[in-house]
Every structure is written in C-alpha cells, then in structure tokens.
Coordinates of all heavy atoms in Angstrom, one line a residue:
G85 N -19.4 6.8 -2.9 CA -20.4 6.9 -3.9 C -20.3 6.0 -5.0 O -21.2 6.0 -5.9
Q86 N -19.4 5.0 -4.9 CA -19.4 4.0 -6.0 C -19.8 2.6 -5.7 O -19.5 1.7 -6.3 CB -17.8 3.9 -6.5 CG -17.4 5.2 -7.1 CD -16.0 5.2 -7.5 OE1 -15.5 4.1 -7.9 NE2 -15.4 6.2 -7.8
G87 N -20.5 2.3 -4.5 CA -21.0 1.2 -4.2 C -20.0 0.3 -3.7 O -18.9 0.7 -3.0
S88 N -20.2 -1.1 -4.0 CA -19.2 -2.1 -3.3 C -17.9 -2.3 -4.2 O -17.1 -3.1 -3.7 CB -20.0 -3.4 -3.1 OG -20.3 -3.9 -4.3
S89 N -17.9 -1.6 -5.3 CA -16.6 -1.7 -6.2 C -16.1 -0.4 -6.5 O -16.0 -0.1 -7.7 CB -17.0 -2.5 -7.4 OG -17.4 -4.0 -7.0
P90 N -15.7 0.3 -5.6 CA -15.0 1.7 -5.9 C -13.7 1.6 -6.6 O -13.1 0.6 -6.5 CB -15.0 2.4 -4.6 CG -14.7 1.3 -3.6 CD -15.6 0.2 -4.1
E91 N -13.5 2.6 -7.5 CA -12.2 2.7 -8.2 C -11.6 4.1 -7.7 O -12.4 5.0 -7.8 CB -12.5 2.6 -9.7 CG -12.8 1.1 -10.1 CD -12.8 0.9 -11.5 OE1 -12.1 1.6 -12.2 OE2 -13.5 0.1 -11.9
W92 N -10.2 4.1 -7.6 CA -9.6 5.4 -7.4 C -8.4 5.4 -8.3 O -7.9 4.3 -8.7 CB -9.0 5.5 -5.9 CG -10.1 5.4 -4.9 CD1 -10.7 6.3 -4.4 CD2 -10.4 4.1 -4.2 NE1 -11.5 5.9 -3.3 CE2 -11.4 4.6 -3.2 CE3 -10.0 2.8 -4.2 CZ2 -11.9 3.7 -2.3 CZ3 -10.4 2.1 -3.3 CH2 -11.5 2.4 -2.4
N93 N -8.0 6.5 -8.9 CA -6.9 6.7 -9.7 C -6.1 7.9 -9.1 O -6.2 8.9 -9.5 CB -7.2 6.9 -11.1 CG -6.0 6.8 -11.9 OD1 -4.8 6.4 -11.4 ND2 -6.1 7.3 -13.1
E94 N -5.4 7.6 -8.0 CA -4.7 8.5 -7.3 C -3.1 8.4 -7.3 O -2.7 7.3 -7.4 CB -5.1 8.5 -5.7 CG -6.5 8.6 -5.3 CD -7.1 9.9 -5.6 OE1 -6.2 11.0 -5.4 OE2 -8.2 10.1 -5.9
T95 N -2.4 9.4 -7.3 CA -0.9 9.5 -7.3 C -0.5 10.0 -5.9 O -0.9 11.2 -5.6 CB -0.4 10.1 -8.4 OG1 -0.8 9.6 -9.6 CG2 1.1 10.2 -8.3
L96 N 0.2 9.3 -5.1 CA 0.6 9.8 -3.9 C 2.1 9.7 -3.8 O 2.7 8.8 -4.3 CB 0.1 8.9 -2.7 CG -1.4 8.7 -2.7 CD1 -1.9 7.6 -1.7 CD2 -2.3 10.0 -2.4
K97 N 2.7 10.7 -3.1 CA 4.2 10.8 -3.0 C 4.5 10.7 -1.6 O 4.0 11.3 -0.7 CB 4.7 12.0 -3.6 CG 4.6 12.1 -5.1 CD 5.2 13.4 -5.6 CE 4.9 13.6 -7.0 NZ 5.7 14.7 -7.7
F98 N 5.6 9.9 -1.3 CA 6.1 9.6 0.2 C 7.6 9.8 0.1 O 8.3 9.5 -0.9 CB 5.9 8.2 0.5 CG 4.3 7.9 0.5 CD1 3.7 7.2 -0.5 CD2 3.5 8.2 1.7 CE1 2.4 6.8 -0.6 CE2 2.2 7.8 1.5 CZ 1.6 7.2 0.5
H99 N 8.1 10.4 1.2 CA 9.5 10.5 1.4 C 10.0 9.2 2.1 O 9.5 8.7 3.1 CB 9.8 11.7 2.2 CG 11.3 11.8 2.6 ND1 12.2 12.4 1.7 CD2 11.9 11.5 3.8 CE1 13.4 12.4 2.3 NE2 13.2 11.8 3.5
V100 N 11.1 8.6 1.6 CA 11.8 7.3 2.1 C 13.0 7.6 2.4 O 13.9 8.0 1.6 CB 11.5 6.2 1.1 CG1 12.1 4.9 1.6 CG2 10.1 6.1 0.7
E101 N 13.4 7.1 3.6 CA 14.9 7.2 4.1 C 15.4 5.7 3.8 O 14.9 4.8 4.0 CB 14.9 7.4 5.6 CG 14.4 8.8 6.0 CD 15.5 9.8 5.7 OE1 16.5 9.5 5.5 OE2 14.9 11.0 5.5
Y102 N 16.6 5.7 3.1 CA 17.3 4.6 2.8 C 18.7 4.8 2.8 O 19.3 5.8 2.2 CB 16.9 4.1 1.4 CG 17.5 2.7 1.0 CD1 16.8 1.5 1.5 CD2 18.7 2.6 0.5 CE1 17.3 0.3 1.3 CE2 19.1 1.3 0.1 CZ 18.6 0.2 0.5 OH 19.0 -1.1 0.3
P103 N 19.6 3.9 3.5 CA 19.2 2.8 4.3 C 18.7 3.1 5.7 O 18.9 4.3 6.1 CB 20.5 1.9 4.3 CG 21.5 2.9 4.3 CD 21.0 4.0 3.4
T104 N 18.1 2.2 6.3 CA 17.7 2.5 7.7 C 18.3 1.3 8.6 O 18.8 0.4 8.1 CB 16.1 2.3 7.7 OG1 15.6 0.9 7.3 CG2 15.5 3.3 6.9
P105 N 18.1 1.4 9.9 CA 18.5 0.3 10.7 C 18.0 -1.0 10.3 O 17.1 -1.1 9.5 CB 18.0 0.7 12.1 CG 17.8 2.2 12.1 CD 17.4 2.4 10.6
D106 N 18.6 -2.0 10.7 CA 18.2 -3.5 10.3 C 16.7 -3.9 10.8 O 16.6 -4.7 11.7 CB 19.3 -4.5 10.9 CG 20.6 -4.2 10.3 OD1 20.8 -3.8 9.1 OD2 21.6 -4.5 11.0
D107 N 15.9 -3.3 10.1 CA 14.5 -3.6 10.5 C 13.7 -3.9 9.2 O 13.5 -2.9 8.4 CB 13.8 -2.4 11.3 CG 12.3 -2.6 11.6 OD1 11.9 -3.8 11.5 OD2 11.7 -1.8 12.1
D108 N 13.5 -5.1 9.0 CA 12.7 -5.6 7.7 C 11.3 -5.0 7.5 O 10.8 -5.0 6.4 CB 12.7 -7.1 7.5 CG 14.0 -7.7 7.3 OD1 14.9 -7.0 6.8 OD2 14.2 -8.9 7.7
N109 N 10.7 -4.5 8.6 CA 9.4 -3.9 8.6 C 9.3 -2.4 8.3 O 8.4 -1.9 8.1 CB 8.7 -4.2 10.0 CG 8.3 -5.6 10.1 OD1 8.1 -6.3 9.1 ND2 8.4 -6.1 11.3
T110 N 10.6 -1.9 8.1 CA 10.7 -0.5 7.8 C 10.1 0.0 6.5 O 9.4 0.9 6.4 CB 12.1 0.0 7.9 OG1 12.7 -0.2 9.3 CG2 12.2 1.5 7.8
H111 N 10.4 -0.7 5.4 CA 10.0 -0.3 4.2 C 8.7 -1.2 3.7 O 8.8 -2.1 2.8 CB 11.1 -0.6 3.3 CG 12.2 0.4 3.5 ND1 13.5 0.0 4.0 CD2 12.3 1.7 3.3 CE1 14.2 1.0 4.2 NE2 13.5 2.1 3.8
K112 N 7.6 -0.9 4.3 CA 6.2 -1.4 3.9 C 5.3 -0.4 3.8 O 5.3 0.7 4.6 CB 5.9 -2.6 4.7 CG 5.6 -2.2 6.2 CD 5.2 -3.5 6.9 CE 4.9 -3.1 8.4 NZ 4.5 -4.5 9.2
L113 N 4.4 -0.5 3.0 CA 3.3 0.4 2.8 C 2.0 -0.3 3.2 O 1.7 -1.4 2.8 CB 3.1 0.8 1.3 CG 2.0 1.7 0.9 CD1 2.0 3.0 1.7 CD2 1.9 1.9 -0.5
V114 N 1.4 0.2 4.3 CA 0.2 -0.4 4.8 C -1.1 0.5 4.4 O -1.0 1.6 4.7 CB 0.2 -0.6 6.3 CG1 -1.1 -1.2 6.8 CG2 1.4 -1.4 6.7
I115 N -1.9 -0.1 3.6 CA -3.0 0.7 3.1 C -4.3 0.1 3.8 O -4.7 -1.0 3.7 CB -3.3 0.5 1.7 CG1 -2.1 1.0 0.7 CG2 -4.5 1.3 1.1 CD1 -2.1 0.6 -0.6
K116 N -4.8 1.1 4.7 CA -6.0 0.8 5.4 C -7.2 1.3 4.7 O -7.3 2.4 4.3 CB -5.9 1.5 6.9 CG -4.8 0.9 7.7 CD -4.8 1.6 9.1 CE -3.6 1.0 9.7 NZ -3.6 1.4 11.1
I117 N -8.2 0.4 4.6 CA -9.4 0.6 3.7 C -10.5 0.9 4.8 O -10.9 0.1 5.6 CB -9.8 -0.6 3.0 CG1 -8.6 -1.2 2.2 CG2 -11.0 -0.3 2.1 CD1 -8.1 -0.1 1.1
M118 N -11.3 2.0 4.5 CA -12.3 2.4 5.4 C -13.6 2.6 4.6 O -13.6 3.0 3.4 CB -12.0 3.8 6.0 CG -10.6 3.7 6.9 SD -10.7 2.8 8.4 CE -11.8 3.8 9.4
D119 N -14.7 2.3 5.2 CA -15.9 2.5 4.6 C -16.6 3.9 5.1 O -16.8 3.9 6.4 CB -17.0 1.4 4.9 CG -18.3 1.5 4.4 OD1 -18.6 2.5 3.4 OD2 -19.3 0.9 4.9
Q120 N -16.6 4.9 4.3 CA -17.2 6.2 4.8 C -18.8 6.2 5.1 O -19.4 5.8 4.0 CB -16.7 7.3 3.8 CG -17.1 8.6 4.4 CD -16.7 9.8 3.3 OE1 -16.4 9.5 2.2 NE2 -16.6 10.9 3.9
D121 N -19.1 6.5 6.2 CA -20.5 6.6 6.6 C -20.9 8.0 6.8 O -20.1 8.7 7.4 CB -20.8 5.7 7.7 CG -20.6 4.2 7.5 OD1 -21.0 3.8 6.4 OD2 -20.0 3.5 8.3
I122 N -22.0 8.3 6.4 CA -22.6 9.8 6.6 C -23.1 10.0 8.1 O -22.8 10.9 8.7 CB -23.6 10.0 5.6 CG1 -23.0 10.0 4.3 CG2 -24.3 11.5 6.0 CD1 -24.0 10.2 3.1
F123 N -23.9 9.0 8.6 CA -24.5 9.3 9.9 C -23.9 8.5 10.9 O -24.4 8.5 12.1 CB -26.0 8.9 9.7 CG -26.7 9.7 8.6 CD1 -27.2 9.1 7.5 CD2 -27.0 11.0 8.9 CE1 -27.7 9.9 6.5 CE2 -27.6 11.7 7.9 CZ -28.0 11.2 6.8
S124 N -22.9 7.7 10.8 CA -22.2 7.0 11.9 C -20.7 7.0 11.6 O -20.2 7.6 10.6 CB -22.7 5.6 11.9 OG -22.5 4.9 10.7
D125 N -19.9 6.5 12.6 CA -18.5 6.4 12.5 C -18.1 5.7 11.3 O -18.8 4.5 10.8 CB -17.8 5.8 13.7 CG -18.0 6.8 14.8 OD1 -18.1 8.0 14.7 OD2 -17.9 6.3 16.0
D126 N -17.0 6.0 10.5 CA -16.6 5.2 9.4 C -16.1 3.9 9.9 O -15.7 3.7 11.1 CB -15.3 6.0 8.8 CG -15.6 7.3 8.1 OD1 -16.9 7.5 7.9 OD2 -14.7 8.0 7.8
E127 N -16.3 2.8 9.1 CA -16.0 1.5 9.4 C -14.6 1.0 8.9 O -14.4 1.1 7.7 CB -17.1 0.6 9.0 CG -17.0 -1.0 9.3 CD -18.1 -1.8 8.7 OE1 -18.9 -1.2 7.8 OE2 -18.1 -2.9 8.9
Y128 N -13.7 0.4 9.6 CA -12.6 -0.2 9.3 C -12.8 -1.5 8.5 O -13.5 -2.4 9.1 CB -11.5 -0.4 10.3 CG -10.4 -1.2 10.1 CD1 -9.3 -0.7 9.3 CD2 -10.2 -2.5 10.5 CE1 -8.1 -1.4 9.1 CE2 -9.1 -3.3 10.2 CZ -8.0 -2.6 9.5 OH -7.0 -3.3 9.2
L129 N -12.6 -1.6 7.3 CA -12.8 -2.9 6.5 C -11.7 -3.8 6.6 O -11.8 -5.1 6.5 CB -13.2 -2.6 5.0 CG -14.4 -1.7 4.8 CD1 -14.6 -1.3 3.4 CD2 -15.7 -2.4 5.5
G130 N -10.5 -3.3 6.5 CA -9.3 -4.1 6.5 C -8.0 -3.4 5.9 O -8.1 -2.1 5.7
Q131 N -7.0 -4.1 5.7 CA -5.7 -3.5 5.3 C -4.9 -4.4 4.4 O -5.1 -5.5 4.4 CB -4.8 -2.9 6.4 CG -4.3 -4.0 7.2 CD -3.4 -3.4 8.3 OE1 -3.9 -2.5 9.0 NE2 -2.3 -4.1 8.8
A132 N -4.2 -3.8 3.5 CA -3.3 -4.5 2.6 C -1.9 -3.9 2.9 O -1.7 -2.8 3.1 CB -3.7 -4.2 1.1
T133 N -0.9 -4.9 2.9 CA 0.4 -4.6 3.1 C 1.2 -4.8 1.9 O 1.2 -6.0 1.3 CB 1.0 -5.4 4.5 OG1 0.1 -5.1 5.5 CG2 2.4 -5.0 4.7
I134 N 2.0 -3.9 1.4 CA 3.0 -4.0 0.4 C 4.4 -3.8 0.9 O 4.7 -2.7 1.4 CB 2.6 -3.0 -0.7 CG1 1.2 -3.1 -1.0 CG2 3.4 -3.0 -1.9 CD1 0.6 -2.0 -1.9
Y135 N 5.2 -4.9 0.7 CA 6.6 -4.8 1.1 C 7.3 -4.1 0.0 O 7.3 -4.5 -1.1 CB 7.1 -6.1 1.4 CG 6.4 -6.6 2.7 CD1 5.2 -7.5 2.6 CD2 6.9 -6.3 4.1 CE1 4.5 -7.9 3.8 CE2 6.2 -6.8 5.2 CZ 5.1 -7.5 5.0 OH 4.4 -8.0 6.1
L136 N 8.2 -3.1 0.3 CA 8.8 -2.3 -0.8 C 10.4 -2.4 -0.6 O 11.0 -1.7 -1.4 CB 8.4 -0.7 -0.5 CG 7.0 -0.6 -0.6 CD1 6.7 1.0 -0.2 CD2 6.5 -0.8 -1.9
K137 N 10.9 -3.2 0.2 CA 12.4 -3.2 0.5 C 13.1 -3.6 -0.9 O 14.0 -2.9 -1.3 CB 12.8 -4.3 1.3 CG 14.2 -4.4 1.6 CD 14.7 -5.3 2.8 CE 16.2 -5.4 3.0 NZ 16.5 -6.5 4.0
D138 N 12.6 -4.5 -1.8 CA 13.2 -4.9 -3.0 C 13.2 -3.7 -4.1 O 14.1 -3.4 -4.7 CB 12.6 -6.1 -3.5 CG 13.0 -7.3 -2.7 OD1 14.0 -7.3 -1.9 OD2 12.3 -8.4 -2.8
V139 N 11.8 -3.1 -4.1 CA 11.8 -2.0 -5.1 C 12.7 -0.8 -4.8 O 13.3 -0.2 -5.8 CB 10.3 -1.8 -5.4 CG1 9.8 -0.9 -4.2 CG2 10.1 -1.0 -6.6
I140 N 12.9 -0.6 -3.4 CA 13.7 0.5 -3.1 C 15.2 0.2 -3.3 O 15.9 1.1 -3.8 CB 13.4 0.8 -1.6 CG1 12.1 1.4 -1.5 CG2 14.5 1.8 -1.0 CD1 11.6 1.6 0.0
E141 N 15.5 -0.9 -3.1 CA 16.9 -1.4 -3.4 C 17.3 -1.3 -4.9 O 18.4 -0.8 -5.2 CB 17.2 -2.8 -2.8 CG 17.3 -2.9 -1.4 CD 17.6 -4.3 -0.8 OE1 17.5 -5.3 -1.5 OE2 17.6 -4.5 0.4
V142 N 16.5 -1.7 -5.7 CA 16.7 -1.6 -7.2 C 16.6 -0.2 -7.5 O 17.4 0.3 -8.4 CB 15.5 -2.3 -7.9 CG1 15.5 -2.0 -9.4 CG2 15.6 -3.8 -7.7
G143 N 15.7 0.6 -7.0 CA 15.6 2.0 -7.2 C 16.9 2.8 -6.9 O 17.5 3.6 -7.7
V144 N 17.5 2.4 -5.8 CA 18.8 3.1 -5.3 C 19.9 2.7 -6.2 O 20.7 3.6 -6.7 CB 19.1 2.7 -3.8 CG1 20.5 3.0 -3.5 CG2 18.1 3.3 -2.9
E145 N 20.0 1.3 -6.8 CA 21.0 0.9 -7.6 C 20.8 1.5 -8.9 O 21.8 2.0 -9.5 CB 20.9 -0.6 -7.6 CG 21.9 -1.2 -8.6 CD 21.8 -2.7 -8.6 OE1 21.5 -3.4 -7.5 OE2 22.0 -3.3 -9.7
K146 N 19.6 1.6 -9.5 CA 19.4 1.9 -11.0 C 18.8 3.3 -11.1 O 18.6 3.7 -12.3 CB 18.6 0.9 -11.6 CG 19.3 -0.5 -11.6 CD 18.4 -1.5 -12.4 CE 19.1 -2.8 -12.4 NZ 18.3 -3.9 -13.3
G147 N 18.4 3.9 -10.0 CA 17.7 5.3 -10.2 C 16.3 5.3 -10.1 O 15.7 6.2 -9.8
Q148 N 15.7 4.0 -10.5 CA 14.1 3.8 -10.4 C 13.9 2.4 -10.3 O 14.5 1.5 -10.9 CB 13.6 4.4 -11.7 CG 12.0 4.3 -11.6 CD 11.4 5.1 -12.8 OE1 12.0 5.9 -13.4 NE2 10.0 4.7 -13.0
G149 N 12.9 2.1 -9.5 CA 12.4 0.8 -9.2 C 10.9 0.8 -9.5 O 10.3 1.9 -9.1
E150 N 10.3 -0.4 -9.8 CA 8.9 -0.3 -10.0 C 8.2 -1.8 -9.6 O 8.7 -2.7 -9.9 CB 8.5 -0.1 -11.5 CG 7.1 0.0 -11.7 CD 6.8 0.3 -13.3 OE1 7.7 0.3 -14.1 OE2 5.7 0.6 -13.7
L151 N 7.1 -1.6 -9.0 CA 6.3 -2.7 -8.9 C 5.0 -2.4 -9.7 O 4.3 -1.5 -9.5 CB 5.7 -2.8 -7.4 CG 6.7 -3.4 -6.4 CD1 6.1 -3.3 -5.0 CD2 7.2 -4.8 -6.6
R152 N 4.8 -3.1 -10.8 CA 3.7 -2.9 -11.7 C 2.4 -3.1 -10.9 O 2.4 -4.0 -9.8 CB 3.7 -3.9 -12.9 CG 5.0 -3.5 -13.7 CD 4.8 -4.3 -15.1 NE 6.0 -4.0 -15.9 CZ 6.2 -2.8 -16.7 NH1 5.3 -1.9 -16.7 NH2 7.1 -2.7 -17.4
P153 N 1.2 -2.6 -11.4 CA 0.0 -2.7 -10.6 C -0.3 -4.2 -10.5 O -0.3 -5.1 -11.4 CB -1.0 -2.0 -11.5 CG -0.1 -1.0 -12.3 CD 1.1 -1.7 -12.4
Q154 N -0.6 -4.6 -9.3 CA -1.0 -6.0 -9.0 C -1.9 -5.9 -7.8 O -2.1 -5.1 -7.1 CB 0.3 -6.8 -8.6 CG 1.1 -6.4 -7.5 CD 2.4 -7.3 -7.4 OE1 2.3 -8.5 -7.8 NE2 3.3 -6.6 -7.0
K155 N -2.7 -7.1 -7.7 CA -3.7 -7.2 -6.6 C -3.0 -7.6 -5.2 O -2.2 -8.5 -5.3 CB -4.7 -8.3 -7.0 CG -5.6 -7.7 -8.1 CD -6.6 -8.8 -8.5 CE -7.4 -8.2 -9.7 NZ -8.3 -9.3 -10.2
Y156 N -3.5 -7.0 -4.2 CA -3.1 -7.3 -2.9 C -4.2 -7.6 -2.1 O -5.4 -7.0 -2.3 CB -2.3 -6.1 -2.2 CG -1.0 -5.8 -2.9 CD1 -1.0 -5.0 -4.0 CD2 0.1 -6.5 -2.5 CE1 0.2 -4.6 -4.6 CE2 1.4 -6.3 -3.2 CZ 1.4 -5.3 -4.2 OH 2.5 -5.0 -4.9
R157 N -4.3 -8.5 -1.2 CA -5.3 -9.0 -0.4 C -5.7 -7.9 0.7 O -4.7 -7.6 1.4 CB -5.1 -10.3 0.3 CG -4.9 -11.5 -0.7 CD -4.6 -12.7 -0.1 NE -5.7 -13.5 -0.5 CZ -6.4 -14.5 0.2 NH1 -6.0 -14.8 1.3 NH2 -7.4 -15.2 -0.4
V158 N -6.9 -7.7 0.9 CA -7.4 -6.9 2.0 C -7.8 -7.8 3.1 O -8.6 -8.6 3.0 CB -8.4 -5.9 1.6 CG1 -9.0 -5.1 2.8 CG2 -7.9 -4.8 0.5
V159 N -7.2 -7.7 4.3 CA -7.4 -8.6 5.4 C -7.9 -7.7 6.6 O -7.4 -6.6 6.9 CB -6.1 -9.4 5.8 CG1 -6.4 -10.3 7.0 CG2 -5.7 -10.1 4.6
S160 N -9.0 -8.2 7.3 CA -9.6 -7.5 8.3 C -8.8 -7.7 9.6 O -7.8 -8.5 9.8 CB -11.1 -7.8 8.6 OG -11.1 -9.3 9.0
G161 N -9.1 -6.9 10.8 CA -8.4 -7.2 12.1 C -8.4 -8.6 12.6 O -7.5 -9.0 13.3
D162 N -9.5 -9.4 12.3 CA -9.6 -10.7 12.7 C -9.0 -11.8 11.7 O -9.3 -12.9 11.7 CB -11.0 -11.1 13.2 CG -12.0 -10.9 12.1 OD1 -11.5 -10.5 10.8 OD2 -13.3 -11.2 12.2
Q163 N -8.2 -11.2 10.7 CA -7.5 -12.0 9.7 C -8.5 -12.6 8.7 O -8.1 -13.6 8.1 CB -6.7 -13.0 10.3 CG -5.6 -12.5 11.1 CD -4.7 -11.5 10.6 OE1 -4.1 -11.9 9.5 NE2 -4.5 -10.3 11.1
N164 N -9.6 -12.1 8.5 CA -10.5 -12.6 7.4 C -10.3 -11.9 6.1 O -10.1 -10.6 6.1 CB -12.0 -12.4 7.8 CG -12.5 -13.5 8.9 OD1 -11.9 -14.6 8.8 ND2 -13.2 -13.0 9.8
Y165 N -10.4 -12.5 5.0 CA -10.2 -11.9 3.7 C -11.4 -11.0 3.4 O -12.6 -11.5 3.5 CB -10.1 -13.1 2.6 CG -10.1 -12.6 1.3 CD1 -9.0 -12.1 0.7 CD2 -11.3 -12.8 0.5 CE1 -9.0 -11.6 -0.5 CE2 -11.3 -12.5 -0.8 CZ -10.1 -11.9 -1.4 OH -10.0 -11.4 -2.7
R166 N -11.2 -9.8 3.0 CA -12.3 -8.9 2.7 C -12.3 -8.4 1.2 O -13.0 -7.5 1.0 CB -12.1 -7.7 3.7 CG -12.3 -7.9 5.2 CD -13.7 -8.5 5.4 NE -14.6 -7.4 5.2 CZ -15.2 -6.7 6.0 NH1 -15.0 -6.7 7.2 NH2 -16.3 -5.9 5.7
G167 N -11.4 -8.9 0.4 CA -11.4 -8.5 -1.0 C -9.9 -8.1 -1.5 O -9.0 -8.5 -0.7
E168 N -9.8 -7.3 -2.5 CA -8.5 -7.1 -3.0 C -8.5 -5.6 -3.4 O -9.5 -5.0 -3.7 CB -8.3 -8.0 -4.3 CG -8.2 -9.3 -4.0 CD -8.2 -10.0 -5.4 OE1 -8.7 -9.6 -6.4 OE2 -7.8 -11.2 -5.3
I169 N -7.3 -5.0 -3.5 CA -7.1 -3.8 -4.0 C -5.8 -4.0 -5.0 O -4.9 -4.6 -4.7 CB -6.7 -2.8 -2.9 CG1 -6.5 -1.4 -3.4 CG2 -5.4 -3.2 -2.0 CD1 -6.4 -0.3 -2.2
Q170 N -5.9 -3.1 -6.1 CA -4.8 -3.1 -7.0 C -3.9 -2.0 -6.9 O -4.5 -0.8 -7.0 CB -5.4 -3.2 -8.4 CG -4.3 -3.4 -9.4 CD -5.0 -3.8 -10.8 OE1 -5.8 -4.6 -11.0 NE2 -4.2 -3.4 -11.9
V171 N -2.6 -2.1 -6.8 CA -1.7 -1.0 -6.5 C -0.4 -1.1 -7.2 O 0.1 -2.2 -7.4 CB -1.3 -0.9 -5.0 CG1 -0.4 0.2 -4.7 CG2 -2.6 -0.7 -4.2
G172 N 0.1 -0.1 -7.8 CA 1.4 -0.1 -8.5 C 2.3 0.9 -7.7 O 1.8 1.9 -7.2
V173 N 3.6 0.7 -7.6 CA 4.4 1.6 -6.8 C 5.7 1.8 -7.7 O 6.2 0.9 -8.5 CB 4.9 0.9 -5.7 CG1 6.0 1.8 -4.9 CG2 3.8 0.7 -4.7
T174 N 6.1 3.0 -7.8 CA 7.3 3.5 -8.5 C 8.2 4.2 -7.5 O 7.8 5.2 -6.8 CB 7.0 4.5 -9.7 OG1 6.3 3.9 -10.6 CG2 8.4 4.9 -10.4
F175 N 9.4 3.8 -7.4 CA 10.5 4.6 -6.5 C 11.5 5.1 -7.3 O 12.1 4.5 -8.3 CB 11.0 3.4 -5.6 CG 12.2 4.0 -4.7 CD1 11.9 4.7 -3.6 CD2 13.5 3.9 -5.1 CE1 12.8 5.3 -2.8 CE2 14.6 4.4 -4.3 CZ 14.1 5.2 -3.2
T176 N 11.6 6.5 -7.1 CA 12.5 7.2 -7.9 C 13.5 7.9 -6.9 O 13.1 8.6 -6.1 CB 11.9 8.3 -8.9 OG1 10.9 7.6 -9.6 CG2 12.9 9.0 -9.7
V177 N 14.9 7.9 -7.3 CA 15.8 8.5 -6.5 C 16.0 10.0 -6.8 O 15.8 10.3 -8.0 CB 17.2 7.8 -6.6 CG1 18.3 8.6 -5.9 CG2 17.2 6.4 -6.2
K178 N 16.0 10.8 -5.7 CA 16.0 12.3 -6.1 C 17.6 12.8 -6.0 O 18.2 12.2 -5.3 CB 15.3 13.1 -5.2 CG 13.9 13.0 -5.4 CD 13.0 14.1 -4.8 CE 11.7 14.2 -5.2 NZ 11.0 15.3 -4.9

C-alpha cells in the first residue's frame, strides 16, 4: 500500500549456529523481495544477500557484533539491478 517506495521498520530474530562446517555460504541472509498482488500471484522482484560471517565472528568474540544500516542491491533472477534495500544487523550472543 506504499507504492513504489515502501518502508518497513521490522525487527526479526533468527537463531544462528556457530561455528559450522567449512562452508562460507552458511552465514548469509538472503532477503527476497516480492510484489504483493491482490488479483494475481505475487511477483518476485529480486533479492539482496547480506554476508554475516564477520559480524558473527565479532559477536562471538565480544558478545555483540553489528552491521549498521546500509544499502544492499536488489538483483532479479536474471541478474538485473532492481533497486536497493537498507538493512542493519545486530548479532548478540546468548
């Protein structure tokens, strides 16, 4: 309902296992952007990938790690640029 420039202010929590097997792709957050349609199927617009390995390593060492809000490119399935999304991440050890 916000047109072509929507804004969200959401807080999401995820459980993360650390350390994991030697797989560099394990600690990444993939945000898939969809266009919600009322009378037809929702349309996939693209996705942004945020690599979290460094922030998790700092968090494990110091108790908390942070990626300040910054822009990430949203890229479609055919690798075309579709815009940006701004995301911040905080990792806290429990």
Side-chain angles (χ1 to χ4, degrees):
Q86 296 183 20
S88 63
S89 299
E91 292 187 27
W92 303 275
N93 188 12
E94 302 288 334
T95 299
L96 306 171
K97 292 184 180 186
F98 301 95
H99 176 78
V100 177
E101 295 288 334
Y102 186 85
T104 60
D106 297 330
D107 181 6
D108 288 338
N109 291 324
T110 301
H111 294 108
K112 66 180 177 182
L113 175 63
V114 178
I115 300 173
K116 294 184 179 183
I117 311 297
M118 305 290 290
D119 178 21
Q120 184 178 15
D121 294 321
I122 295 172
F123 299 109
S124 62
D125 292 339
D126 295 344
E127 178 185 3
Y128 172 76
L129 298 177
Q131 67 185 36
T133 303
I134 304 169
Y135 293 92
L136 300 174
K137 183 177 180 182
D138 291 342
V139 73
I140 292 171
E141 287 177 352
V142 169
V144 168
E145 180 182 321
K146 297 183 177 182
Q148 184 171 343
E150 180 180 12
L151 287 175
R152 296 197 180 273
Q154 58 186 329
K155 293 179 182 178
Y156 294 90
R157 301 182 117 215
V158 175
V159 180
S160 64
D162 58 2
Q163 301 303 305
N164 286 321
Y165 174 76
R166 296 295 301 260
E168 299 171 334
I169 185 169
Q170 185 168 325
V171 178
V173 177
T174 302
F175 175 82
T176 305
V177 176
K178 284 195 172 190

